[in-house]
């Protein structure tokens, strides 16, 4: 949707909404080949729609439920949530919930946040099965290039002009978990063979942007080949708990203000993630910096004791430094398990 120099508007889309829900405005229950007993695979989709504000493909209004089992949500546009927007009503305390068991959300565009999906405060998104946000066939990292003629080339799937190329989360994001267990105030693992691939954000969080209000649980699935200037895979400012067979590869997790990640279950993949601290030294240059913690909660059954094996599976991005008087240098770091405090701290690796 383009505003021209003569103040007219060009609509390069199919359906268009002046506010929310370019393709679908869901204020009830929307099911797309979701948990059906019929042997049917829905191969259609929601394509080429636009909304001036939120939810280019689907806008899930406060109190609504959306379930997706297959199909595509692609080539949609909005300010926030190019593909899908999950909304919350603070006054009525109504929040929307979405479960995605399969299908694909790809090639959507947000002029602000959440290229693929935007989760408002208190909303919930569950990803499991074969669900994919982006393009799982990608073999190279996403990129965004400004050309000599000032045009831009987008080599990516979903894109956000600000934060959260794949997903912008201000709510609860459960990756590798299902919806039904949440009704009992707990979550239950449900394997995700898909993941979040080949998305891009101009500012932060190519795969996922986790804001200060958000909690993200990840028990399975892959985050790979996403791009952003800060936090290629994940930008963490809220809470992130990792466990199981997750793989964050060819991407990093950027720790805003050195926000630590939590381990909530044994990490079973050979390499789980690479974390990038916002700073490699403490403010007083003496105290250690804690970057990983074992999960501790009021529910003792949810507690987890961090192990040496878990710590070894989390790498640290080397620190690069340059100055006018010296050539570029790199300092390598590792994590050191502090068993007494159920945490791991940043330690400079010996050069020898």
């Amino acid at each position: 949707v383009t505003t021209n120099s003569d103040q007219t508007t060009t609509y390069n889309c199919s359906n268009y909404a002046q506010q929310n829900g370019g393709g679908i405005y869901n204020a009830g229950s929307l099911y797309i080949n979701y948990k059906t007993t019929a042997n049917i695979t829905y191969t259609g989709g929601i394509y080429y729609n636009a909304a001036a504000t939120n939810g280019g493909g689907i806008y899930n209004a406060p109190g609504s439920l959306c379930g997706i089992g297959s199909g595509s949500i692609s080539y949609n546009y909005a300010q926030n949530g190019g593909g899908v927007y999950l909304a919350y009503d603070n006054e009525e305390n109504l929040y929307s919930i979405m479960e995605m068991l399969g299908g694909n959300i790809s090639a959507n565009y947000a002029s602000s946040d959440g290229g693929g999906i935007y989760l408002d405060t208190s909303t919930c998104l569950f990803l499991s099965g074969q669900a994919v946000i982006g393009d799982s066939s990608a073999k190279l990292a996403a990129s965004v290039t400004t050309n000599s003629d000032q045009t831009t080339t987008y080599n990516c799937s979903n894109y956000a002009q600000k934060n959260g190329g794949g997903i912008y989360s201000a709510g609860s994001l459960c990756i590798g978990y299902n919806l039904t267990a949440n009704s009992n105030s707990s979550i239950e693992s449900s394997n995700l063979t898909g993941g979040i691939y080949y998305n891009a954000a101009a500012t932060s969080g190519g795969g996922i942007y986790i804001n200060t209000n958000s909690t993200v649980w990840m028990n399975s699935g892959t985050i790979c080949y996403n791009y952003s200037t800060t936090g290629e895979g994940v930008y963490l400012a809220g809470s992130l708990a990792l466990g199981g067979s997750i793989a964050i590869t060819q991407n990093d997790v950027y720790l805003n203000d050195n926000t630590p990640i939590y381990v909530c279950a044994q990490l079973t993949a050979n390499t789980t993630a690479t974390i990038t601290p916002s700073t490699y030294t403490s403010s007083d240059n003496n105290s250690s910096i804690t970057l990983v913690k074992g999960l501790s909660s009021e529910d003792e059954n949810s507690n987890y004791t961090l192990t040496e094996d878990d710590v070894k599976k989390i790498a640290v991005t080397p620190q690069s430094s340059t100055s006018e008087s010296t050539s570029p240098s790199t300092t390598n770091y590792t994590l050191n398990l502090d068993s007494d405090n159920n945490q791991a701290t940043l330690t400079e690796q010996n050069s020898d």
Side-chain angles (χ1 to χ4, degrees):
V1 180
T2 305
T3 301
N4 306 310
S5 58
D6 60 0
Q7 300 306 304
T8 59
T9 303
T10 301
Y11 298 94
N12 296 306
C13 60
S14 181
N15 301 296
Y16 176 73
Q18 285 281 5
Q19 292 185 340
N20 304 316
I24 297 175
Y25 185 107
N26 173 30
S29 297
L30 172 65
Y31 302 125
I32 302 174
N33 199 37
Y34 175 71
K35 294 184 176 179
T36 177
T37 57
N39 187 21
I40 299 172
T41 299
Y42 174 64
T43 58
I46 301 168
Y47 303 101
Y48 205 55
N49 306 287
T53 308
N54 301 319
I58 301 174
Y59 177 88
N60 291 301
S64 68
L65 174 64
C66 179
I68 297 175
S70 62
S72 298
I73 301 172
S74 303
Y75 304 108
N76 302 287
Y77 166 90
Q79 180 179 344
N80 296 301
V84 177
Y85 188 98
L86 277 66
Y88 171 66
D89 185 331
N90 183 52
E91 292 184 0
E92 299 293 333
N93 193 29
L94 292 174
Y95 54 88
S96 55
I97 299 174
M98 175 173 162
E99 181 173 30
M100 191 174 175
L101 305 176
N104 180 275
I105 296 176
S106 62
N108 300 287
Y109 184 101
S111 60
S112 187
D113 299 320
I117 306 175
Y118 185 107
L119 278 69
D120 200 354
T121 305
S122 298
T123 62
C124 302
L125 171 64
F126 296 82
L127 298 177
S128 63
Q130 298 178 342
V132 172
I133 311 299
D135 182 359
S136 60
S137 68
K139 303 300 181 184
L140 296 172
S143 64
V144 179
T145 306
T146 301
N147 306 310
S148 58
D149 60 359
Q150 300 306 304
T151 59
T152 303
T153 301
Y154 301 94
N155 295 307
C156 61
S157 183
N158 299 295
Y159 178 75
Q161 190 65 45
K162 292 183 178 178
N163 304 310
I167 301 173
Y168 180 98
S169 178
S172 296
L173 172 59
C174 302
I175 304 172
Y177 295 89
N178 63 21
L179 171 62
T180 54
N182 197 49
S183 60
N184 297 319
S185 300
S186 63
I187 57 178
E188 182 176 85
S189 62
S190 181
N191 190 45
L192 173 65
T193 57
I196 301 167
Y197 306 86
Y198 200 58
N199 306 286
T203 305
S204 302
I208 308 173
Y209 184 99
I210 305 171
N211 88 357
T212 54
N213 298 316
S214 177
T215 299
V216 177
W217 299 80
M218 186 174 180
N219 183 67
S220 57
T222 301
I223 299 174
C224 186
Y225 292 134
N226 301 284
Y227 166 79
S228 182
T229 54
T230 307
E232 293 174 339
V234 179
Y235 181 97
L236 175 62
S239 176
L240 173 63
L242 304 178
S245 60
I246 72 154
I248 303 175
T249 62
Q250 307 297 323
N251 277 165
D252 71 329
V253 178
Y254 179 83
L255 309 179
N256 180 57
D257 290 335
N258 280 346
T259 301
I261 64 173
Y262 291 89
V263 177
C264 59
Q266 179 185 3
L267 299 173
T268 58
N270 292 331
T271 301
T272 294
T274 299
I275 57 177
T276 302
S278 54
T279 178
Y280 288 79
T281 57
S282 60
S283 57
D284 58 11
N285 291 317
N286 292 317
S287 58
S288 58
I289 299 176
T290 301
L291 299 181
V292 179
K293 293 183 177 182
L295 185 66
S296 178
S297 69
E298 295 180 358
D299 180 5
E300 294 183 359
N301 294 325
S302 299
N303 292 342
Y304 180 76
T305 301
L306 196 63
T307 69
E308 188 71 48
D309 190 52
D310 294 323
V311 172
K312 288 179 180 179
K313 293 177 178 179
I314 302 173
V316 179
T317 303
Q319 181 186 30
S320 299
S321 60
T322 58
S323 67
E324 294 181 358
S325 59
T326 61
S327 58
S329 62
T330 299
T331 305
N332 294 317
Y333 288 83
T334 188
L335 294 170
N336 181 53
L337 178 64
D338 177 0
S339 299
D340 292 338
N341 295 298
N342 198 23
Q343 63 187 24
T345 56
L346 187 66
T347 303
E348 185 174 342
Q349 203 169 19
N350 294 329
S351 58
D352 55 4

